[in-house]
């Protein structure tokens, strides 16, 4: 699909650039008109007489036209370059945005690989004990993630399948990479989603019913280091953790927010077909 889009952009650019050149440069219009007239006369003569000389005449005219066109392009290369830049930049920007959604609410679902499938089919992991509320009320947490203090971190409100995948993710991060994970927010009511959306696009661009949080199928997570939450990806240790977290999340069949244009490194969600189309009743 992306190849077709790029081809369409290239053809659009060539057509637009050609038309723009004819509109801007009067000599080009005159030359094209004369060349077309000569070519038409030559072809008409060829059809009428069938003489070899008449057959060669259109070929000569086309050759001269190509040489003149090349010479004109060389002379006008700077102007044409600016026109090309102005024309192609918006199209390339659109093509780039098509591959980087702000939020992706499709119901695509990728099955986990065999190793992860065996882990999920094994023991049912238990949720960790809740952390002290003070951990989520520090100044750093409030600056990076406003209103985290009153977010739900109740594992019981999460979808059963998603909860086991997320617990498996936490276990792998701890045992394989030494990162202790903490859930910042799991289930989110429609009222809270609306309140967060009202805070502006820097907090969330998803309104009520647009988030997997409302179905217990999403969670925002961070790291616990020396008893303190580490959220910011500006910390190299945390950024490395987020990269590992994203890789493992995708192996577990989860979608990682770190791949979005509006990157949400701590966010993971389980795509369940039709989940977002279900009505969400207010609490």
């Amino acid at each position: 699909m992306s190849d077709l889009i790029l081809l369409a952009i290239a053809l659009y650019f060539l057509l637009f650039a050609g038309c723009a050149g004819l509109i801007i440069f009067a000599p080009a219009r005159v030359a094209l008109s004369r060349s077309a007239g000569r070519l038409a006369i030559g072809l008409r003569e060829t059809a009428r007489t069938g003489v070899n000389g008449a057959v060669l005449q259109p070929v000569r005219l086309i050759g001269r036209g190509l040489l003149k066109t090349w010479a004109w392009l060389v002379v006008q290369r700077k102007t044409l370059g600016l026109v090309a830049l102005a024309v192609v930049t918006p199209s390339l920007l659109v093509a780039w945005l098509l591959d980087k959604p702000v939020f992706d609410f499709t119901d695509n679902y990728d099955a986990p690989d065999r190793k992860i499938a065996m882990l999920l089919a094994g023991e049912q992991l238990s949720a960790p004990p809740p952390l002290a509320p003070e951990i989520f009320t520090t100044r750093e947490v409030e600056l990076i993630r406003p209103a985290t203090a009153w977010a739900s971190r109740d594992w019981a409100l999460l979808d059963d399948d998603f909860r086991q995948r997320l617990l498996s993710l936490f276990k792998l991060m701890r045992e394989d990479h030494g990162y202790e994970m903490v859930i910042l927010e799991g289930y989110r009511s429609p009222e809270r989603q609306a309140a967060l959306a009202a805070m502006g696009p820097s907090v969330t661009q998803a309104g009520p019913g647009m988030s997997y949080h409302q179905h217990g199928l999403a969670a925002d997570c961070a790291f616990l280091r020396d008893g303190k939450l580490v959220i910011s990806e500006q910390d190299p240790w945390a950024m490395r953790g987020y990269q590992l977290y994203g890789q493992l999340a995708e192996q577990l069949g989860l979608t990682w927010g770190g791949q979005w244009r509006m990157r949400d490194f701590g966010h993971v969600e389980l795509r369940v077909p039709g989940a977002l189309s279900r009505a969400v009743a207010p609490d």
Side-chain angles (χ1 to χ4, degrees):
M1 186 67 178
S2 59
D3 292 338
L4 292 176
I5 293 174
L6 292 176
L7 177 60
I9 290 173
L11 293 175
Y12 163 76
F13 164 70
L14 291 175
L15 179 62
F16 187 92
C19 294
L22 292 176
I23 293 172
I24 296 172
F25 303 102
R29 293 198 303 273
V30 174
L32 180 63
S33 177
R34 289 175 179 173
S35 297
R38 291 182 187 133
L39 181 60
I41 292 172
L43 291 173
R44 194 163 51 244
E45 185 66 19
T46 299
R48 187 176 65 83
T49 64
V51 180
N52 290 338
V55 173
L56 294 175
Q57 185 63 18
V59 177
R60 294 193 187 99
L61 289 173
I62 293 173
R64 286 198 210 102
L66 290 175
L67 289 174
K68 288 181 180 179
T69 301
W70 176 254
W72 178 79
L73 290 174
V74 171
V75 173
Q76 303 292 342
R77 61 185 181 277
K78 292 184 179 179
T79 302
L80 291 174
L82 292 176
V83 172
L85 183 63
V87 172
V88 79
T89 298
S91 300
L92 291 178
L93 181 61
V94 170
W96 178 73
L97 292 178
L98 286 176
D99 290 332
K100 292 181 174 294
V102 176
F103 291 102
D104 183 359
F105 297 121
T106 58
D107 288 326
N108 294 335
Y109 176 80
D110 296 323
D113 61 26
R114 182 180 177 186
K115 177 182 176 181
I116 299 300
M118 290 177 63
L119 175 63
L120 293 174
E123 61 177 317
Q124 291 295 297
L125 302 175
S126 300
L131 296 174
E134 295 78 19
I135 292 179
F136 303 94
T137 58
T138 64
R139 177 178 174 80
E140 178 185 359
V141 173
E142 187 62 27
L143 286 174
I144 298 175
R145 292 190 60 89
T148 297
W150 48 286
S152 171
R153 287 175 281 275
D154 188 348
W155 288 84
L157 296 179
L158 299 179
D159 174 85
D160 292 341
D161 189 8
F162 175 65
R163 179 171 59 249
Q164 286 303 309
R165 293 173 191 268
L166 188 59
L167 288 170
S168 297
L169 176 56
F170 279 24
K171 180 179 180 180
L172 290 171
M173 285 293 293
R174 180 176 61 255
E175 295 180 353
D176 293 353
H177 303 295
Y179 282 87
E180 192 69 33
M181 301 292 302
V182 173
I183 186 170
L184 298 175
E185 181 168 14
Y187 171 77
R188 186 183 293 164
S189 69
E191 291 82 3
R192 175 169 168 80
Q193 187 71 44
L196 293 176
M199 293 181 182
S202 61
V203 177
T204 182
Q205 294 186 16
M210 295 176 60
S211 172
Y212 282 95
H213 279 285
Q214 268 115 87
H215 301 282
L217 291 166
D220 299 319
C221 306
F223 308 104
L224 190 65
R225 181 176 63 186
D226 299 328
K228 295 182 179 180
L229 279 180
V230 181
I231 301 176
S232 175
E233 65 272 13
Q234 300 302 319
D235 186 314
W237 175 85
M239 189 64 242
R240 174 56 180 161
Y242 281 128
Q243 292 170 346
L244 296 169
Y245 170 76
Q247 292 170 9
L248 288 173
E250 291 175 349
Q251 291 179 39
L252 282 157
L254 302 174
T255 297
W256 178 46
Q259 299 282 19
W260 297 341
R261 178 163 54 89
M262 182 180 172
R263 299 185 187 278
D264 192 351
F265 291 103
H267 179 93
V268 290
E269 61 191 27
L270 177 62
R271 302 290 176 83
V272 174
L276 293 183
S277 64
R278 296 199 297 263
V280 179
D283 288 355

